[in-house]
Amino acid sequence: MEAAMGLMRRIHPKHSETALSALLSLLPHHSSDLLSQVDQPLQVLCDMDIGKEFILCEYNRDADSYRSPWSNKYHPPLEDGQLPSAELRKLEIEANDVFAIYRDQYYEGGISSVYMWEDENEGFVACFLIKKDGSKAGQGRRGYLEEGSWDAIHVIEVGPEDEGIAHYCLTSTVMLSLTTRDESSGTFSLSGSIRRQMNMDFAVAEGHLCNMGRMIEEMESKLRNSLDQVYFGKTREMVCTLRPPSEVLQVRLPDS
Amino acid sequence: MAEDEEEYQEVSEPEELSDKQKIDIAKWFLTNSPSGEIQYVAKDVRSVLMDEHLYNMAVSEAFPVYNKTHIISLELPNRSGDVLITTYGELNETEYLDPRTAQVAIVDHVKQVCTEVRPATDEELPSPYIEEFRCALDAEIIKYVDEAYPKGICSVYCANGKDVEGPGSDFELAVLISAARHSPQNFCNGSWRSIWNVEFKDDMQMIELRCTMQVGAHYFEEGNVQLDANHECNDSTIFQFPDDCAISITNIIRHHETEYLASLEGSYLNLPDTTFKDLRRKLPVTRTLFPWHNTLQISLNRDITKEIGTGK
């Protein structure tokens, strides 16, 4: 299992789906571990009742069907599919509404879905998903990207309320890829994924949605920032180590 | 990579895999290893396969492919320099020509070492006429690579017409530059590869250049982020005496590679405010953090905008 995770850490992010299916077939007895530890690009299905797309993940899946957050129905239809309690469903509806506005303000497009379910220790778990196609053929407003995708998965475990305080444990993954292409500079492509965790205690008075939303917003900003500054920055540093920019060379070799 | 995807279609079924399928999977992981990481990948592949025989079959097929794609450089055992592993110098599966020293390196692909050298035979080397052009170009390229790439290895091969004895026939040289930097302790590896095909057209007295440059970098501390960049370009110059050809060809190469590096820098500079913004903005369109404490208000506002039709 450790070796499998080692391979996933090295294989090119654009091959991660192929790599995962290969590992699943080599290590069938580890399939549940692999599926829970390896994040995959998000898939989308259309809710025929509402005419709106929703995102698929392990958390809205029952058998081979997925529950839409819009109609609360399984696609394809499933009898006795698991549903959240009425109270949690109310919060789920509100979360989907508000998160769609949040998503629009940061992503200027994209699709979002929020799923909630009760867990064993009197709390609940919420999963916030965002998928954005930022390519010029998709929803890239500025039209710079030949290809561009951003998939975010935020899973928050909310502990039971204790004296007005609840514990929130957030695990977030962002997977992205972006490619630009033109005559003069060829193809330039960056892709990757990172995963981080954050733990907080909040007063429940302001509402779970407000608390979860703030954590997700902070986390997304952190992840975007570290991808931009740290991860992309490191690859840029590497390029400059391989072939230092000419200013550096001119200083070293004034007579050339 | 379409072929790779195809190899896997049958694999998604839960039945027991055939040995061939297991070897194919192992080879796929190995040949797709990032620069400088195949040994680590091999270690993991070995533990996932749990079958020494299949593992050995997979590595013996995958390593030569990987070594040639990545144009890895191996030190010659007699301290006479480095040899590049490339199809341009490949005499057979384990023998690679080093044109500069007129030696043949015998390599162990899986260990990624050169075990022995022998002098090249006359048949393996280009004619004296070609050698004059090749040698002059090699000398200029060495100077350029030394100044431009702190860890660059280069070699000039005769790609076509090595037996041309004198003026009157076309021939082709290939300039290969390979620079790699591996620092696994900093979770960072990268490589730069350029292949310049230089065609000497005797009838037109022209030299035509075609180039492919490939740059890759991998940073994997608590994540997995990879850069892939590649670029192709063409240029031409006039056919002259060997020394003059060497200088003008090297100038063209220097010019294009410097420009390409600048355009890579440009792509990085564009990231924060243009390219990346099409995926996700740093701040919302409102330029303030999202008002989570006021979500009821937001929902209401949205309903109103919807009702009176002021929305998009």
Side-chain angles (χ1 to χ4, degrees):
Chain A
M1 191 57 207
E2 206 181 302
M5 292 311 288
L7 289 172
M8 291 308 299
R9 195 165 66 132
R10 296 190 187 274
I11 201 72
H12 198 289
K14 74 177 178 209
H15 294 319
S16 66
E17 277 171 280
T18 318
L20 179 65
S21 65
L23 288 174
L24 285 171
S25 54
L26 277 178
L27 304 165
H29 51 287
H30 282 301
S31 62
S32 61
D33 282 351
L34 281 166
L35 286 169
S36 68
Q37 288 184 46
V38 178
D39 290 303
Q40 288 297 295
L42 298 169
Q43 305 295 322
V44 170
L45 204 65
C46 189
D47 181 334
M48 288 308 178
D49 293 9
I50 315 279
K52 228 170 140 181
E53 291 180 305
F54 65 100
I55 302 176
L56 316 183
C57 67
E58 278 303 293
Y59 307 114
N60 64 333
R61 186 180 67 87
D62 196 337
D64 290 326
S65 296
Y66 293 88
R67 183 170 64 90
S68 157
W70 316 121
S71 61
N72 205 23
K73 287 183 186 157
Y74 276 89
H75 293 65
L78 183 70
E79 269 176 59
D80 316 323
Q82 280 192 13
L83 296 174
S85 68
E87 197 192 348
L88 200 56
R89 172 63 188 155
K90 217 180 118 200
L91 184 62
E92 188 184 79
I93 293 172
E94 194 192 349
N96 271 290
D97 278 350
V98 174
F99 202 56
I101 307 169
Y102 165 86
R103 188 246 310 142
D104 234 6
Q105 291 195 357
Y106 273 100
Y107 292 86
E108 304 171 277
I111 303 167
S112 56
S113 297
V114 182
Y115 302 104
M116 295 186 187
W117 64 99
E118 280 86 8
D119 73 356
E120 302 91 46
N121 37 11
E122 294 168 60
F124 68 97
V125 187
C127 174
F128 292 73
L129 306 162
I130 293 182
K131 185 175 184 66
K132 165 86 189 273
D133 174 359
S135 69
K136 55 187 172 194
Q139 291 183 304
R141 285 270 171 112
R142 295 157 196 85
Y144 291 112
L145 295 174
E146 199 63 36
E147 174 271 330
S149 68
W150 171 291
D151 290 2
I153 303 171
H154 305 282
V155 179
I156 304 192
E157 290 166 56
V158 182
E161 191 180 327
D162 183 21
E163 294 178 9
I165 306 280
H167 182 75
Y168 298 79
C169 172
L170 166 66
T171 307
S172 299
T173 306
V174 166
M175 286 162 277
L176 89 171
S177 76
L178 54 91
T179 305
T180 58
R181 186 173 298 141
D182 65 58
E183 276 283 297
S184 65
S185 48
T187 307
F188 176 85
S189 164
L190 284 163
S191 52
S193 69
I194 55 174
R195 183 193 269 205
R196 294 286 183 273
Q197 213 171 61
M198 185 192 266
N199 282 283
M200 302 272 238
D201 290 312
F202 284 120
V204 180
E206 281 208 84
H208 285 307
L209 185 54
C210 179
N211 294 336
M212 293 190 289
R214 282 185 182 147
M215 276 179 88
I216 290 174
E217 185 171 20
E218 189 185 335
M219 179 67 108
E220 281 204 334
S221 300
K222 274 191 183 160
L223 292 175
R224 187 195 188 279
N225 213 28
S226 57
L227 280 164
D228 189 9
Q229 305 289 317
V230 182
Y231 285 82
F232 293 172
K234 286 283 180 184
T235 63
R236 179 184 178 185
E237 250 175 57
M238 176 50 79
V239 174
C240 292
T241 320
L242 292 168
R243 193 185 194 288
S246 47
E247 307 90 76
V248 183
L249 291 172
Q250 270 152 21
V251 175
R252 229 179 56 193
L253 302 152
D255 54 348
S256 73
Chain B
M1 293 289 139
E3 297 167 35
D4 299 334
E5 309 290 339
E6 272 172 23
E7 280 177 22
Y8 281 116
Q9 303 220 316
E10 59 239 73
V11 164
S12 49
E13 280 143 45
E15 297 118 50
E16 180 67 19
L17 297 175
S18 69
D19 284 356
K20 162 132 192 354
Q21 285 172 315
K22 288 184 183 172
I23 293 175
D24 282 344
I25 292 177
K27 273 163 58 186
W28 180 83
F29 274 107
L30 291 162
T31 49
N32 281 293
S33 309
S35 168
E37 297 180 33
I38 191 170
Q39 298 291 2
Y40 300 91
V41 170
K43 209 173 133 240
D44 288 338
V45 164
R46 187 181 216 152
S47 358
V48 171
L49 270 186
M50 294 174 294
D51 184 323
E52 281 305 292
H53 175 64
L54 297 184
Y55 169 77
N56 287 329
M57 302 249 296
V59 291
S60 68
E61 288 181 44
F63 268 79
V65 175
Y66 175 91
N67 292 343
K68 284 183 272 184
T69 329
H70 285 260
I71 317 180
I72 66 160
S73 65
L74 300 179
E75 212 175 308
L76 295 169
N78 57 1
R79 294 177 167 268
S80 56
D82 301 88
V83 61
L84 292 179
I85 303 306
T86 159
T87 46
Y88 290 99
E90 187 175 33
L91 301 172
N92 58 49
E93 182 85 319
T94 55
E95 294 196 320
Y96 293 83
L97 176 70
D98 175 37
R100 187 173 302 143
T101 59
Q103 293 181 105
V104 173
I106 296 144
V107 305
D108 180 328
H109 277 290
V110 177
K111 288 188 182 143
Q112 296 185 310
V113 291
C114 168
T115 50
E116 267 176 79
V117 278
R118 64 163 173 86
T121 62
D122 283 349
E123 295 79 64
E124 287 159 347
L125 295 170
S127 70
Y129 170 68
I130 301 292
E131 191 56 20
E132 211 181 328
F133 284 93
R134 198 206 60 77
C135 199
L137 183 54
D138 193 38
E140 286 301 315
I141 294 289
I142 292 175
K143 278 192 253 168
Y144 159 64
V145 169
D146 270 353
E147 79 191 35
Y149 297 88
K151 295 234 165 141
I153 306 289
C154 60
S155 190
V156 180
Y157 298 90
C158 177
N160 254 317
K162 77 179 181 61
D163 298 321
V164 172
E165 297 284 354
S169 299
D170 297 351
F171 62 94
E172 182 180 342
L173 300 181
V175 178
L176 273 78
I177 301 171
S178 171
R181 186 67 73 116
H182 302 141
S183 57
Q185 70 283 7
N186 298 318
F187 306 99
C188 206
N189 296 307
S191 76
W192 175 302
R193 285 165 267 165
S194 327
I195 302 177
W196 289 86
N197 286 90
V198 186
E199 276 183 273
F200 291 72
K201 305 252 183 183
D202 194 84
D203 50 347
M204 292 186 286
Q205 289 293 297
M206 287 294 289
I207 298 174
E208 280 179 14
L209 293 97
R210 275 177 295 125
C211 169
T212 317
M213 290 180 255
Q214 255 185 302
V215 184
H218 183 206
Y219 180 62
F220 53 101
E221 183 167 21
E222 292 183 63
N224 175 2
V225 172
Q226 308 205 9
L227 159 79
D228 278 299
N230 57 72
H231 182 44
E232 288 178 12
C233 60
N234 297 299
D235 210 329
S236 61
T237 180
I238 45 169
F239 204 138
Q240 308 163 72
F241 290 115
D243 288 348
D244 300 321
C245 282
I247 290 170
S248 59
I249 293 168
T250 307
N251 281 338
I252 289 173
I253 293 179
R254 179 188 289 112
H255 169 75
H256 283 283
E257 294 196 343
T258 310
E259 266 201 350
Y260 180 51
L261 182 75
S263 91
L264 279 179
E265 281 286 286
S267 300
Y268 274 112
L269 291 176
N270 280 335
L271 272 177
D273 294 317
T274 57
T275 345
F276 207 163
K277 210 172 181 179
D278 266 356
L279 291 183
R280 185 189 186 274
R281 303 170 58 94
K282 244 183 224 161
L283 276 176
V285 275
T286 56
R287 293 180 188 281
T288 54
L289 288 182
F290 192 76
W292 292 102
H293 53 280
N294 212 2
T295 47
L296 187 61
Q297 191 61 43
I298 307 167
S299 308
L300 283 178
N301 280 349
R302 196 163 77 139
D303 288 345
I304 292 166
T305 8
K306 246 189 225 163
E307 264 167 45
I308 56 176
T310 51
K312 292 169 237 169

